[in-house]
Amino acid sequence: MTDSHARPGLAVEVVTLFPELVLGNLRHGVLGRAIERGRLAVGTVDPRAYATDVHRTVDDRPYGGGPGMLLAVEPLATAIDAARARLPAGGPVIYLSAQGRQFGQADAVRLAGSAGYVLLAGRYEGVDERVLETCVDEELSIGDYVLSGGELAACVVIDACARLLPGVLDNERSAVEESFGDGLLDWPHYTRPEEWRGLKVPQVLRGGNHAAIDRWRRMQALGRTAERRPDLMARRTMDESDVRLLAEYRAARAADEATNLGARRRGPKTDAETEDKP
Ligand code: 4FV
């Protein structure tokens, strides 16, 4: 396949005690294709390979006591330097931890546009703070919960980036149009059959009028974002047409609720109910 995408692929190095946990995740679907097409290259560096004692020790007990172990400054720092040396200069070293700043689509776009970066996947209770002070450029979290290791978080970051790389998604539109593309949640999606358990695909999607379809989808994206993620709406400036669309969505929902047709239906609907709803 001629590589129409001039820009060299994205290179990522993951520092991890479990290389297989990372590489195993990347062999499937979009990620596997991105690697096959040379759009993405993922390497791993195992700190244990840089351990100098006979037991190849990488962890130790925390000063001040407390449960669990920590990844010690060495061989971790040496492993991070080895990973950084494999990449084009200047790529950030990112530590995945629950103490990090929340990872978001903007980070995925930024990292997908970079020449490459190192992901540090912690284990145990975390790593010696001095490694963060000297070898790490930023700390990112994928959510407010504690994982047993940073590997899954590293795969989340790589996955979110890979989909944005040119030539990875068969339809580039997907990456642009999906959730958070413009800070809104996605609109509802339907495919065949046209009717299932009395639930019909909204008429507007079956009518072929693409202006009406685009309008309906934007109304749904605005409405669902306002309902489910007011924090995202708070970050947006709404133009006149969005204000009208959101008002129309809310009016339709209120009418729906009023006729109590909004509640999740158990079992087939009557014909009268199947008439098209917004
Ligand atoms: C995590 C998160 C996370 C902390 C200790 C791995 C664990 C262990 N990473 N978002 N939440 N990491 O819980 O990214 O080192």
Side-chain angles (χ1 to χ4, degrees):
M1 181 180 93
T2 57
D3 183 352
S4 58
H5 307 284
R7 195 168 75 76
L10 176 66
V12 180
E13 286 292 332
V14 184
V15 176
T16 170
L17 293 173
F18 300 102
E20 262 325 294
L21 183 49
V22 173
L23 298 174
N25 255 299
L26 303 178
R27 288 207 189 91
H28 313 282
V30 169
L31 289 175
R33 215 170 38 238
I35 292 168
E36 272 158 30
R37 293 177 177 175
R39 312 299 321 137
L40 172 68
V42 178
T44 60
V45 176
D46 181 347
R48 217 176 278 288
Y50 295 84
T52 52
D53 67 314
V54 65
H55 302 297
R56 304 204 306 147
T57 306
V58 296
D59 61 327
D60 203 342
R61 287 178 292 103
Y63 273 108
M69 302 291 273
L70 286 178
L71 282 173
V73 290
E74 288 297 357
L76 188 57
T78 304
I80 293 171
D81 293 346
R84 209 199 263 275
R86 291 181 183 178
L87 292 177
V93 174
I94 300 165
Y95 174 49
L96 288 310
S97 93
Q99 283 67 48
R101 180 176 56 75
Q102 177 65 48
F103 173 71
Q105 191 68 12
D107 297 300
V109 171
R110 168 174 59 92
L111 294 171
S114 76
Y117 51 89
V118 173
L119 293 176
L120 170 55
R123 275 278 153 178
Y124 310 109
E125 303 312 307
V127 308
D128 186 299
E129 189 68 17
R130 293 165 289 182
V131 171
L132 307 184
E133 288 160 13
T134 57
C135 308
V136 166
D137 302 300
E138 55 184 297
E139 211 166 328
L140 290 177
S141 170
I142 62 166
D144 296 341
Y145 36 79
V146 179
L147 303 171
S148 57
E151 285 78 12
L152 295 178
C155 292
V156 165
V157 170
I158 295 169
D159 189 307
C161 290
R163 333 167 40 69
L164 301 171
L165 297 172
V168 170
L169 291 184
D170 284 342
N171 185 325
E172 307 281 342
R173 270 183 62 198
S174 312
V176 177
E177 285 183 7
E178 62 195 5
S179 298
F180 309 108
D182 63 351
L184 291 175
L185 298 184
D186 221 350
W187 50 72
H189 296 281
Y190 298 84
T191 186
R192 287 178 295 190
E194 189 175 304
E195 181 160 352
W196 177 74
R197 293 188 182 176
L199 299 173
K200 269 193 173 177
V201 172
Q203 170 52 39
V204 63
L205 298 179
R206 296 181 276 125
N209 173 338
H210 288 288
I213 291 169
D214 291 347
R215 184 178 183 282
W216 179 87
R217 284 175 168 172
R218 183 141 190 96
M219 179 170 69
Q220 291 292 324
L222 286 163
R224 287 149 63 102
T225 306
E227 282 171 349
R228 303 176 189 191
R229 294 292 306 277
D231 59 305
L232 291 176
M233 290 305 271
R235 287 188 223 154
R236 302 179 57 77
T237 50
M238 298 264 284
D239 62 19
E240 257 314 293
S241 76
D242 278 352
V243 169
R244 270 199 309 282
L245 280 175
L246 184 53
E248 184 181 332
Y249 176 91
R250 285 180 166 147
R253 291 283 277 161
D256 204 29
E257 293 309 320
T259 56
N260 201 12
L261 288 176
R264 179 176 285 288
R265 286 173 289 282
R266 294 274 174 274
K269 289 191 334 180
T270 63
D271 284 354
E273 287 178 305
T274 58
E275 268 331 295
D276 295 311
K277 293 278 169 292

